[in-house]
Structure formats: C-alpha cells, structure tokens
Amino acid sequence: MAKKTDEGVGIDVKWSWQGISGKIRSRLTSALDRRAAASIDQTGLDVERQVAVHRALTESKLALIAASTKALQKEIQNNPELARRALNVLSRAEREEDNIQASLGLAIEDLQNRENTGEGSNDGPDQLNPDFLNRWEHYASGATTETLREKWGRVLASEIRVPGSVSLKTLRVIDEIELPTALLFQRLCGRRLGNYVPELTAGIDQYEKVQLTEAGLLLQSEFPRTITFGEGEKADGTSWWMLESNGVGIAVRKDPLPAIADQAKFSIAPIRVREGALVLNVLVFTEAGRALASIQNYSEESSFRALAEAIQQGSGTEAAEVLKHVGDNSWSSADESATKALGTGGDA
C-alpha cells in the first residue's frame, strides 16, 4: 500500500537519494505521484514491474470499472461478442498500465545509476510539464519489450534531469525512429563530443549520414559544419591547438602540423587550417538528436582518444594527446603527469 514519506509524496521509494538534487527529486516524485505509483524497491524492480499495475490502479479507476461492469452485466449475458470486446479493452488497459509502470521503474534505475549533474539540472520547475507527461505516457504505454521500456525510461529520466530538453516534437521523432536507424545513431553516439561528432571518427558513410538527417537527428547543411580549436602552450613553451568538452580535451601539435591536417586554401577536409586556425568538420545533432543522444551511454574520453588516434595517422603519437582538466586553465595529460596551460576551442 502506498504511504506518505517525509518528502510529502504519496509513495514509498526504497532507494538512496544520495547525489540526487532537490529539484530532480521533486520532479521524479511528481511523476510518481501522477501515476499513483506504489512502493518501488530498488532490489526488486523486476517483481515490482510484474505486479505494479494491480497496485497502481487508483480508486477512481476501480470504481469506474465496477460501474461499467454493472451497467454491461445484462447485455454481456446475452451478447458473448460484447463480453469478448469488453475483456479485450480491460486487458489492453492493463497491459498499457504495466508498460508505463515498467518504463517508470527503468527511469528510476537510470536516475540512480547515471550522473544527475550538469548544465540545467538544478534550474527550471520543480514538477514536470503535464503535457510532456501525457505524451510520454502515451508512447510508454506501447513499450511492449524491455528495449522499448528502457528507451522511454531514459527519455523520462532525461527530462527529469533537465526540464524542456525533450520537446513534444522530439517525443514524436523518437517514437517514429525505426530500429535500423536507432542502432545506427547509437553507434554514431559512441564517438560524440557533447552535441556533435567529428567526421574523422564518425564511422558512417554518406548514405548513412543522409539516413540520420532525414530521420531528424542530424542538422542538414550544404557545407560542412565546423568546430574551431583554441590555442595554448605546453609547459615547455611549444604551441598547441586545444579542443575540450566536459573536462576532457585534446591537444594537437602546431609545429610541425600533423600530416592529416590540410592547409589548402579552399579545402573542406575533415580537419584543416582555415584563416590561421585549426578547424574540425563535425556532424551536429538536431534538438531531437540531442535528446536521443542524451539517453545513450558513451565516454567522452574514449571519443577524444579515437580522435587523437585519427589525427596521429602518418604523424606518430606526438601529433596529438588526450588531456584532462585539473583546475583553472590547466590540463594534465591523461597518460602522463605533464601539465599544460591551454586555451579552449569553440564553435566556428
């Protein structure tokens, strides 16, 4: 039976709130209350999902079912087809409720197991937008497989972390994405840096790029979109190019420039020098792409290591190295103890 907690919420969630900010806690519990959620034990989520529908039905729903059954009782006795249809409706409603509760349980798991900090996590309202929840419930009700339930659970968790990050349009795009496209995008996200992916490491061909663009996940552009590296110096006084994202970065040697970096005046090579600066061609996510990318597991450091390896081709390991932020404007090699003071890059 659901009970009031010291948070003033009509649920009993038996898991640690450690690391969960007040804002995120409030949004989660508002979503749970909306679903008339029952007690969810972190150690028994599978069992809870199996029986959640029976405990999640509110008194009003039970009363409605009872009243409807009474009104139809006489008609059902003389109309087997009507009885069959009524049972189908109730069975479908039960399955949909089960799907929603299962997706909700997986959203809780995601909030517990993945980082809940970041830009916007402590901003915005204390409760989720009702319109968003209405649409989310509609899509989650059709999540008949564990894969789909996990997807919608992560979508809800993403919106709880940063309200407004998943628009109603984005929900529709995510719902309409076919499995091959979703798998392709998931592979692409394994090399993302923030909200973009370097062309050098994207690992997709032109046809696949068009496929993701037409699916509404990548921005369309006649010319390559680019990111510009910043400038900085190593401790020994040598000049390097620098690009960073979320506390991890890459330093690229300026002299001699890596062989892969094109210096032709009108070049559109994946990495090149343009007007005295090093620029990198990137594939940029749309709003829907950003939302879908946010629910994918990936490692920023792994993405930078892949980029460093691509730049080192033909020039050796000294051409580029991965760095980690150690405070102020100082960066330390991810593999060595040497410290750099480097500038940061930005959008071109």
Side-chain angles (χ1 to χ4, degrees), residues 246-323:
N246 297 321
V248 187
I250 185 173
V252 180
R253 186 181 61 206
K254 293 182 68 175
D255 186 21
L257 199 66
I260 196 173
D262 197 342
Q263 301 185 64
K265 186 174 183 180
F266 299 107
S267 172
I268 57 171
I271 184 169
R272 61 192 185 277
V273 176
R274 184 180 68 190
E275 297 179 353
L278 187 67
V279 298
L280 183 71
N281 288 357
V282 294
L283 305 177
V284 183
F285 298 143
T286 61
E287 177 188 337
R290 290 195 298 271
L292 189 56
S294 71
I295 71 175
Q296 310 284 348
N297 291 321
Y298 86 108
S299 165
E300 203 103 41
E301 182 175 342
S302 294
S303 297
F304 271 115
R305 287 192 180 280
L307 180 59
E309 290 173 4
I311 294 173
Q312 291 166 0
Q313 295 296 318
S315 302
T317 57
E318 295 298 319
E321 62 178 305
V322 178
L323 306 177

Side-chain angles (χ1 to χ4, degrees), residues 73-280:
Q73 187 173 13
K74 290 184 179 180
E75 295 184 50
I76 287 174
Q77 288 176 351
N78 300 317
N79 190 338
E81 177 60 23
L82 179 59
R84 184 187 65 79
R85 288 179 3 218
L87 286 174
N88 285 341
V89 169
L90 291 176
S91 178
R92 183 173 67 250
E94 187 177 27
R95 289 196 303 270
E96 290 177 349
E97 187 71 21
D98 190 34
N99 292 337
I100 293 172
Q101 290 295 333
S103 299
L104 184 56
L106 288 166
I108 293 174
E109 290 184 22
D110 189 77
L111 288 169
Q112 186 178 19
N113 296 330
R114 299 176 69 199
E115 186 177 4
N116 293 308
T117 58
E119 185 177 354
S121 62
N122 291 318
D123 301 328
D126 291 336
Q127 297 189 358
L128 295 181
N129 186 309
D131 290 336
F132 168 85
L133 282 174
N134 284 336
R135 297 308 297 167
W136 179 85
E137 289 174 1
H138 168 72
Y139 293 124
S141 68
T144 55
T145 68
E146 195 70 6
T147 298
L148 290 174
R149 290 170 174 179
E150 183 177 9
K151 178 178 75 172
W152 290 113
R154 287 190 173 186
V155 167
L156 177 60
S158 180
E159 180 68 11
I160 288 174
R161 289 185 178 98
V162 184
S165 62
V166 185
S167 68
L168 299 184
K169 177 183 177 182
T170 297
L171 287 176
R172 177 182 58 78
V173 172
I174 291 174
D175 180 64
E176 293 177 352
I177 293 175
E178 297 181 352
L179 181 58
T181 303
L183 293 175
L184 172 61
F185 187 71
Q186 182 178 3
R187 175 159 59 88
L188 179 68
C189 286
R191 288 290 179 259
R192 77 181 178 96
L193 299 171
N195 291 321
Y196 62 86
V197 180
E199 284 189 3
L200 271 177
T201 55
I204 62 174
D205 57 31
Q206 184 61 27
Y207 172 79
E208 292 171 323
K209 179 181 175 181
V210 171
Q211 182 181 347
L212 293 175
T213 301
E214 291 181 346
L217 301 176
L218 293 180
L219 288 176
Q220 188 170 12
S221 179
E222 183 177 356
F223 299 101
R225 295 178 182 271
T226 61
I227 293 293
T228 303
F229 284 69
E231 294 183 275
E233 286 187 352
K234 290 181 66 173
D236 61 6
T238 58
S239 296
W240 286 64
W241 300 108
M242 170 70 182
L243 184 67
E244 63 89 20
S245 176
N246 297 321
V248 187
I250 185 173
V252 180
R253 186 181 61 206
K254 293 182 68 175
D255 186 21
L257 199 66
I260 196 173
D262 197 342
Q263 301 185 64
K265 186 174 183 180
F266 299 107
S267 172
I268 57 171
I271 184 169
R272 61 192 185 277
V273 176
R274 184 180 68 190
E275 297 179 353
L278 187 67
V279 298
L280 183 71

